[in-house]
């Protein structure tokens, strides 16, 4: 655990592919991050120890790469200040305009100016469940109250007077600037603040996109959330399910099926398919981007828990492959708390004005002060520290779940990657419904995989449980695991 990449420093997404050894690949990736603007001048880099742990390489490799880039002038290093991006390098296309610097975010010049993912289903049996294992909610007891309050005080003190007005549809410029930096650094997103729109949650973002996109069917994954399909359908779109297998959504079905050739967009969860827990295969990532380019369609990338990968550095956002055809959607609901009602979209240029025109027609705006607080929380490093702590907490719980099953129910297999806030437990054929009911009698509210299958999708003979391990409090988690194991069928 102590050597896990999830333990140290600030998040920094780097792709160490290409010719040469690891040191050459790291230097090439850092140069490209600086050149493209993903790492702005003055940005402090992780320590060599932290980055080495993140990337799974030797510390000396990182230290040598840093030293050589300092010598080349890409980075600067001072005693007590760490290693930073040198101020002499500006990315292509931004010369002549100011880049975000280290000044407090609430003092930057201002520019022009509801619903949880899934509520627990009805509970049968006797009385209310003691513990809720249905997916959709993080461990809200771990919300960083002290750090958030300190950020709120700093943001409120520095807030300009106009921040207390009604706000603009795009959201506070301070938050959009900070998010552009953070998403580039941590998720590989190619973002400009002018292409970011702040929303009151993922559902509002999806509804706005549904009303902005051209009429026509939209593809969704065959396993997903019914109210995501519902919001698109209410916007006038027919939804078409894409089969999900061990490699994620079947992208070939976008063109192979009758009646799908005119699909306007595809809603996907590439980093961690919800709820099956598999990532989209690299070949399919390239395939869906090529489909969007060829047809003029869009990929709607739901990165709902992209920061929570426990066995390795997360795969970068799909949006980084083609910002002109991928809409990136993120939210604070999993990383912090649903109550904040803060989400964001990174839009292709040609969608910005049409979507803002829709949002001006009466959509609710996110609270100005919450936006300023989040901007301060991210820029001060509090967000990175909180995410690191939550990664360790969620990983510990997932490890406990896997260990309990291996010891006491070895016939139940955990599928999907080590990521997110839920795990999928594969069950013997024909047992899903009875085990869900047995769990309810044990005081657990949980759902089977079939509850997330699109009714329009072909039936799949697969029985499984979707178990969210983020919500129960730490002191009761061992009891939750005991109850879960009791509900499982005995092994042969």
């Amino acid at each position: 655990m102590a050597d896990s990449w999830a333990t140290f420093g600030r998040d920094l997404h780097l792709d160490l592919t290409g010719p040469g050894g690891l040191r050459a690949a790291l230097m090439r990736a850092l140069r490209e991050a600086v050149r493209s603007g993903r790492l702005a001048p003055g940005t402090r880099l992780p320590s060599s120890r932290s980055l080495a742990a993140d990337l799974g390489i030797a510390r000396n490799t990182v230290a040598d790469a840093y030293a050589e880039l300092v010598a080349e002038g890409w980075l600067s290093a001072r005693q007590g200040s760490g290693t930073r991006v040198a101020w002499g390098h500006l990315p292509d296309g931004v010369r002549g305009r100011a880049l975000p610097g280290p000044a407090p975010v609430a003092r930057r010049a201002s520019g022009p100016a509801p619903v949880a993912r899934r509520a627990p289903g009805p509970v049968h049996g006797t009385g209310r469940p003691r513990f809720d294992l249905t997916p959709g909610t993080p461990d809200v007891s771990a919300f960083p109250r002290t750090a958030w309050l300190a950020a709120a005080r700093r943001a409120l003190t520095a807030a300009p007077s106009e921040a207390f007005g009604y706000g603009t549809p795009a959201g506070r410029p301070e938050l959009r600037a900070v998010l552009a930096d953070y998403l580039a650094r941590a998720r590989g997103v190619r973002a400009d603040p002018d292409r970011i729109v702040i929303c009151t949650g993922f559902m509002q973002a999806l509804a706005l996109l549904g009303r902005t996109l051209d009429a026509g069917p939209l593809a969704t994954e065959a396993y997903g959330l019914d109210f995501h399909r519902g919001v698109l359908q209410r916007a006038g779109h027919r939804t078409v399910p894409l089969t999900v297998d061990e490699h994620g959504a079947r992208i070939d079905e976008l063109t192979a099926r009758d009646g799908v050739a005119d699909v306007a967009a595809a809603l996907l969860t590439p980093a961690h398919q919800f709820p099956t827990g598999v990532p989209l295969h690299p070949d399919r990532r390239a395939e869906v981007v090529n489909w969007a380019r060829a047809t003029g369609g869009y990929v709607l990338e739901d990165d709902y828990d992209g920061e929570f990968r426990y066995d390795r550095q997360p795969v970068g956002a799909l949006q980084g492959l083609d910002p002109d055809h991928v809409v990136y959607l993120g939210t604070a609901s999993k990383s912090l708390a649903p109550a904040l009602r803060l989400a964001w979209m990174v839009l292709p240029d040609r969608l910005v004005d049409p979507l803002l025109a829709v949002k001006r027609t009466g959509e609710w705006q996110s609270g100005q002060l919450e936006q300023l607080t989040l901007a301060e929380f991210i820029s001060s490093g509090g967000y990175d520290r909180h995410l690191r702590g939550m990664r360790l907490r969620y990983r510990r719980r997932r490890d406990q779940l896997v260990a309990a099953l291996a010891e006491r129910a070895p016939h139940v297999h955990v599928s999907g990657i080590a990521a997110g806030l839920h795990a999928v437990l594969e069950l013997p054929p024909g047992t899903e419904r009875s085990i869900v009911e047995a769990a309810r009698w044990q005081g657990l509210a949980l759902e089977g995989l079939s509850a997330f299958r699109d009714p329009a999708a072909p039936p799949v003979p697969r029985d499984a449980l979707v178990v969210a391990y983020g919500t129960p409090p730490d002191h009761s988690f061992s009891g939750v695991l005991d109850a879960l194991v009791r509900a499982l069928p005995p092994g042969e």
Side-chain angles (χ1 to χ4, degrees):
M1 181 80 66
D3 295 328
S4 166
W5 82 271
T7 308
F8 308 105
R10 306 187 81 186
D11 288 353
L12 179 60
H13 175 75
L14 295 171
D15 182 7
L16 302 188
T17 58
L22 285 174
R23 183 170 67 88
L26 177 57
M27 292 174 60
R28 186 166 53 247
L30 286 169
R31 288 192 198 99
E32 177 57 28
V34 174
R35 185 184 295 114
S36 66
R38 285 182 51 225
L39 289 177
T43 299
R44 182 169 182 169
L45 299 183
S47 69
S48 58
R49 176 172 176 261
S50 297
L51 189 57
D54 283 2
L55 300 176
I57 62 179
R59 181 179 180 182
N60 285 345
T61 301
V62 179
D64 290 346
Y66 276 3
E68 189 159 343
L69 290 173
V70 169
E72 292 178 1
W74 291 89
L75 305 179
S76 64
R78 293 184 179 179
Q79 186 71 26
S81 182
T83 303
R84 297 179 182 270
V85 177
W87 283 93
H89 290 277
L90 290 176
D92 296 339
V94 298
R95 297 187 182 275
R97 71 172 175 88
L99 286 171
V105 298
R107 297 185 185 276
R108 289 183 177 128
S110 300
V115 179
R117 280 186 177 274
R118 173 171 287 272
V123 177
H124 307 294
T126 56
R128 295 174 59 85
R130 291 183 58 206
F131 300 108
D132 184 7
L133 299 182
T134 56
T137 305
D139 184 357
V140 294
S141 69
F143 183 81
R145 302 184 190 211
T146 301
W148 185 263
L149 181 59
R153 285 172 173 161
R154 294 193 299 270
L156 188 62
T157 299
S161 297
E162 51 88 16
F164 296 89
Y166 286 105
T168 61
R172 289 299 308 175
E174 297 92 339
L175 178 56
R176 290 187 282 119
V178 168
L179 280 174
D181 292 344
Y182 170 78
L183 294 173
R185 168 173 60 83
R187 298 296 296 125
V189 172
R190 293 157 63 184
D192 183 277
D194 292 338
R195 292 167 47 209
I196 296 178
V197 176
I198 309 300
C199 298
T200 60
F202 178 87
M203 289 288 281
Q204 185 191 50
L206 194 59
L208 288 168
L209 286 167
R211 291 157 56 192
T212 301
L213 295 172
D214 294 337
L218 300 183
T220 58
E221 294 164 326
Y223 284 102
L225 293 171
D226 53 0
F227 47 78
H228 288 177
R229 296 188 293 269
V231 74
L232 294 173
Q233 291 163 0
R234 288 191 294 275
H237 299 276
R238 178 171 65 90
T239 58
V240 179
L242 299 176
T243 302
V244 174
D245 60 21
E246 68 275 14
H247 299 304
R250 289 279 305 274
I251 304 304
D252 60 304
E253 293 180 354
L254 282 170
T255 54
R257 281 184 178 179
D258 293 337
V260 188
D262 58 344
V263 163
L267 174 62
L268 303 177
T269 49
H272 188 220
Q273 202 284 324
F274 184 87
T276 65
V278 298
L280 190 63
H281 190 277
D283 290 345
R284 296 186 182 181
R285 288 167 65 94
E287 186 180 1
V288 75
V289 168
N290 289 337
W291 164 82
R293 290 170 178 166
T295 63
Y298 296 98
V299 181
L300 312 183
E301 179 180 15
D302 179 4
D303 197 36
Y304 68 101
D305 64 358
E307 294 99 342
F308 295 113
R309 182 79 185 255
Y310 311 128
D311 57 344
R312 49 161 287 179
Q313 186 186 41
V315 175
L318 185 70
Q319 190 265 4
L321 296 178
D322 192 338
D324 293 330
H325 291 93
V326 180
V327 178
Y328 179 88
L329 299 115
T331 174
S333 293
K334 296 294 183 294
S335 57
L336 285 168
L340 294 178
R341 309 314 310 139
L342 286 171
W344 43 87
M345 291 183 281
V346 183
L347 297 165
D349 282 335
R350 62 184 182 276
L351 283 184
V352 174
D353 289 341
L355 187 136
L356 290 178
V358 173
K359 200 166 188 282
R360 288 189 185 96
T361 60
E363 292 284 340
W364 290 102
Q365 315 297 335
S366 297
Q368 301 259 77
L369 300 184
E370 287 80 3
Q371 293 183 56
L372 291 174
T373 301
L374 179 58
E376 171 63 26
F377 192 57
I378 295 174
S379 66
S380 67
Y383 190 64
D384 283 271
R385 288 190 292 272
H386 173 70
L387 285 177
R388 293 281 170 153
M390 296 310 296
R391 280 198 199 104
L392 292 180
R393 178 181 294 227
Y394 293 142
R395 174 179 174 170
R396 191 160 47 241
R397 291 191 180 187
R398 188 182 189 279
D399 288 348
Q400 287 179 264
L401 171 62
V402 172
L405 294 173
E407 178 183 356
R408 299 159 60 187
H411 55 288
V412 176
H413 170 64
V414 179
S415 63
I417 59 175
L421 281 66
H422 74 276
V424 178
L425 279 54
E426 303 292 339
L427 301 174
T431 62
E432 178 183 303
R433 181 174 298 180
S434 63
I435 294 173
V436 169
E437 291 300 322
R440 294 181 189 276
W441 282 98
Q442 294 291 337
L444 305 179
L446 51 73
E447 290 175 323
L449 184 62
S450 61
F452 301 93
R453 187 175 63 82
D454 187 338
V460 177
R462 181 181 180 186
D463 288 68
L465 296 179
V466 181
V467 178
Y469 45 77
T471 305
D474 283 338
H475 70 270
S476 63
F477 194 59
S478 60
V480 171
L481 294 180
D482 290 340
L484 177 62
V485 171
R486 286 195 300 269
L488 297 173
E492 297 182 358

